[in-house]
C-alpha cells in the first residue's frame, strides 16, 4: 500500500508519512518521527517537548530526635 500525493510542505512526490495531528501528507524530510507529526505541528508543539524534568526533591522531611 502506498500513499499518493505530494508533500504538503515542499510538494515532493515522495510522500510516505501522514501527520498524526493535522493529517496532511508529508515527505520524510518534513515528518518528525519522534512525535509522529509534520514539522509544522512539531514546531508548534515542540516548544514544550524539550523541557527537562526537574529532578530536584524538596527537603521537607522532618526528623525528630529526643
Ligand atoms: Zn516535504
Ligand atoms: Zn501536522
Amino acid at each position: 500500500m502506498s500513499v499518493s500525493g505530494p508533500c504538503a510542505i515542499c510538494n515532493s512526490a515522495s510522500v510516505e508519512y501522514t501527520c498524526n495531528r493535522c493529517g496532511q501528507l508529508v515527505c520524510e524530510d518534513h515528518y518528525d518521527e519522534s512525535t509522529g507529526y509534520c514539522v509544522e505541528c512539531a514546531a508548534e508543539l515542540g516548544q514544550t517537548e524539550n523541557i527537562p524534568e526537574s529532578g530536584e526533591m524538596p527537603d521537607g522531611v522532618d526528623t525528630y530526635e529526643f
Side-chain angles (χ1 to χ4, degrees):
M1 64 185 199
S2 63
V3 181
S4 62
C7 172
I9 298 176
C10 69
N11 233 24
S12 173
S14 60
V15 168
E16 301 178 34
Y17 303 96
T18 303
C19 174
N20 288 336
R21 181 169 180 257
C22 67
Q24 69 179 354
L25 300 174
V26 290
C27 67
E28 184 178 8
D29 291 338
H30 296 111
Y31 177 79
D32 192 315
E33 293 185 20
S34 62
T35 58
Y37 300 153
C38 66
V39 291
E40 292 181 343
C41 293
E44 291 183 35
L45 303 177
Q47 303 300 328
T48 57
E49 293 286 337
N50 292 329
I51 296 178
E53 296 183 19
S54 63
E56 296 183 15
M57 296 290 289
D59 189 4
V61 179
D62 292 332
T63 56
Y64 285 86
E65 294 183 17
F66 292 98

